[in-house]
Amino acid sequence: MASIFDQRTLDFISHSEAQTRRLGARLGELLQGGEVIALQGALGSGKTRWVQGLAQGLQVHEPVTSPTFTLINEYHGRLTLYHIDMYRITQLAEALDLGLDDYLYGEGVCVIEWAERIAAALPRDHLWITLYHLDETKRRIVMRAAGERHFQLLKDFHRLAFAMPARNPT
């Protein structure tokens, strides 16, 4: 069950890699283009699994892998997904030299792993997702919306991902 600490934060537990992917897919189904999703979490916390789900929700049919060495992977589905990995970036200037603004302010969906390394460059309106490794399979996921567009996205995600199924009256 998800809990909302305030109107802009959603905090919940994923119990498996498959559930993490499914939740990412739910978010991907809601995306319309122009969103910026910042991912933060230690190695093995589920960032890439989340992106794999997101890609599924965007109807990307090719394998999604972490772009640690290439820095940016581009996938085409219902929308273009820019999967950016800032793990090897040590200074913000390096990221900006990659043309980061083109991705952050473009029409596709921009998802950034290790986003804390470039936080100063993010648009004011974005969705910040922190993944915490709890045990072999469980992950705590905290989503925080900055800006009105991503706040609405968070509300829509909460409704889609955590709505109780309708009961059949008997």
Side-chain angles (χ1 to χ4, degrees):
M1 178 56 93
S3 65
I4 298 178
F5 287 131
D6 61 47
Q7 291 296 315
R8 295 189 175 272
T9 303
L10 182 62
D11 186 62
F12 55 92
I13 303 295
S14 170
H15 296 276
S16 68
E17 284 187 16
Q19 186 178 29
T20 299
R21 276 200 244 18
R22 276 194 308 274
L23 289 164
R26 295 292 179 263
L27 183 63
E29 292 169 7
L30 295 168
L31 300 176
Q32 299 174 0
E35 293 88 358
V36 174
I37 302 169
L39 300 177
Q40 180 178 9
L43 287 170
S45 61
K47 296 181 299 295
T48 300
R49 295 293 172 264
W50 184 271
V51 178
Q52 289 169 341
L54 196 81
Q56 180 183 346
L58 288 170
Q59 300 169 10
V60 170
H61 298 293
E62 59 190 291
V64 173
T65 59
S66 183
T68 301
F69 296 101
T70 58
L71 301 180
I72 301 170
N73 286 342
E74 185 174 320
Y75 301 99
H76 299 280
R78 180 173 56 80
L79 298 167
T80 301
L81 171 63
Y82 301 105
H83 183 191
I84 302 171
D85 190 320
M86 294 286 106
Y87 183 74
R88 297 192 173 281
I89 297 297
T90 58
Q91 296 182 16
L92 181 57
E94 291 177 73
L96 296 175
D97 287 345
L98 293 171
L100 186 61
D101 282 351
D102 293 336
Y103 299 103
L104 294 175
Y105 296 98
E107 294 180 14
V109 174
C110 183
V111 181
I112 307 149
E113 294 191 38
W114 303 95
E116 66 274 17
R117 296 174 186 231
I118 59 151
L122 293 178
R124 289 182 191 245
D125 202 328
H126 63 272
L127 184 62
W128 193 280
I129 303 174
T130 306
L131 295 100
Y132 300 92
H133 183 270
L134 299 179
D135 67 20
E136 194 63 32
T137 59
K138 288 184 185 177
R139 302 297 185 264
R140 177 179 174 212
I141 301 171
V142 179
M143 301 172 76
R144 289 185 181 88
E148 291 310 309
R149 180 177 187 189
H150 288 81
F151 175 47
Q152 185 61 52
L153 177 63
L154 183 64
K155 289 192 304 187
D156 293 344
F157 171 78
H158 181 256
R159 187 173 45 253
L160 180 64
F162 298 103
M164 298 297 286
R167 295 174 127 177
N168 284 337
T170 54

